Amino acid sequence: MAQLQRLVISASQKQASIVILKPEQQHYLYRVLRLKSGDRFIAMDGQGNSWLAELQPDHAALIEPIIFQSELPIAVTLMLALPKTGFDDVIRPLTELGVACVVPIISDRTLLNPSPNKLERWRRIAQEAAEQSERQCVPAILDPLSFSTALQTIDAKQRLICAARGASPHLLTCRLVAPSVCVAIGCEGGWTDAEIDRAIASQYQPVSLGRRILRAVTAPIAAMALLAGAQESREMT
Ligand code: SAM
């Protein structure tokens, strides 16, 4: 199929075989993308369902479902202790690489307490990046949690914590366990020893991303690229 623009719609917009377009979506399709009535695009619900859609004056007609697979075989959750700056620039590449869920963490050394506006912005970036990178799903960006709460509430079959120093095994040596993996990554100041101990007590295995110390905004992208590469290289050979 030729490359078509993607647009995320919410479940409440879909009525039988039409989509009621919001004014800002009409603006985006007609004015920004310069589509015309009768032109086609892909409507996606961000939960794994997509349809070929045809633009009509004030709605879109759903022509047929589109079946494709662009998601990773394992759901990757990243618990990220919020860095002071640069989190906006992390959400887009993580979405492109296939992250399923990002949990902003308030850790012992976190200095940022994000406003609701920031969260809205991160969710908008994730949605745009999911459309652009042809994902089926838009990653969830959760409300911030304290590290202790996250250790107790975020469920994953496999749990890893990136430790910048020490002799932990490399992330790539871990055999990934379906269906879900959660990876915790520290902020600029890193994790405190007490946080690492608490994570280990909650079945998190310390892992390394290599011999160099990566910035707090580089480490999640490196971890996500390694996880995506490890899974897809097996599938795509
Ligand atoms: N200030 C800390 C120190 O000097 O040890 C470094 C923190 S680092 C900038 C931020 C986070 O990225 C770390 O807490 C860790 O989760 C992750 N990280 C960075 N480099 C890493 C590496 N080589 N292996 C594993 N994790 C790493």
Side-chain angles (χ1 to χ4, degrees):
M1 184 181 295
Q3 191 182 339
L4 292 175
Q5 293 292 339
R6 287 171 151 71
L7 182 77
V8 175
I9 57 163
S10 58
S12 62
Q13 289 180 260
K14 185 175 170 296
Q15 296 179 3
S17 60
I18 67 164
V19 175
I20 308 297
L21 295 169
K22 296 179 188 171
E24 63 269 25
Q25 292 172 328
Q26 293 190 28
H27 175 85
Y28 176 68
L29 292 166
Y30 282 110
R31 304 257 173 226
V32 180
L33 298 181
R34 303 216 165 263
L35 298 185
K36 299 178 294 301
S37 191
D39 283 349
R40 293 182 170 189
F41 68 97
I42 294 174
M44 50 186 279
D45 68 1
Q47 312 290 316
N49 302 302
S50 302
W51 299 267
L52 181 62
E54 190 171 281
L55 199 51
Q56 304 292 330
D58 60 352
H59 69 273
L62 298 178
I63 296 168
E64 60 188 11
I66 296 178
I67 311 295
F68 70 107
Q69 165 55 19
S70 63
E71 295 298 315
L72 295 175
I74 293 181
V76 179
T77 294
L78 294 180
M79 292 207 288
L80 304 181
L82 283 165
K84 204 167 151 205
T85 57
F87 204 63
D88 291 21
D89 301 327
V90 174
I91 296 293
R92 181 175 293 280
L94 290 183
T95 302
E96 291 170 15
L97 289 164
V99 73
C101 178
V102 174
V103 191
I105 297 291
I106 311 292
S107 69
D108 289 349
R109 292 178 175 149
T110 299
L111 300 174
L112 179 75
N113 196 356
S115 64
N117 283 351
K118 274 271 175 208
L119 276 161
E120 261 316 296
R121 179 172 161 72
W122 295 336
R123 288 175 181 142
R124 222 173 31 245
I125 292 172
Q127 181 172 312
E128 283 170 15
E131 290 168 351
Q132 175 267 320
S133 59
E134 305 192 4
R135 296 263 316 253
Q136 290 160 282
C137 298
V138 177
I141 313 289
L142 302 192
D143 287 342
L145 294 177
S146 72
F147 192 42
S148 304
T149 305
L151 288 176
Q152 287 161 19
T153 55
I154 301 299
D155 195 25
K157 270 271 175 233
Q158 190 171 25
R159 300 162 186 213
L160 308 172
I161 181 163
C162 290
R165 294 172 197 277
S168 307
H170 196 283
L171 175 65
L172 273 186
T173 64
C174 297
R175 210 177 63 79
L176 295 174
V177 182
S180 54
V181 57
C182 178
V183 186
I185 296 176
C187 61
E188 291 91 338
W191 300 114
T192 60
D193 290 345
E195 285 175 323
I196 300 250
D197 289 346
R198 255 183 282 146
I200 292 171
S202 300
Q203 278 79 53
Y204 279 74
Q205 177 193 344
V207 289
S208 168
L209 297 174
R211 296 206 176 100
R212 292 148 305 281
I213 305 294
L214 307 179
R215 290 175 64 215
V217 290
T218 309
I221 299 168
M224 193 60 223
L226 289 170
L227 290 168
Q231 292 171 69
E232 288 190 320
S233 59
R234 264 185 240 127
E235 271 198 334
M236 294 171 80
T237 46

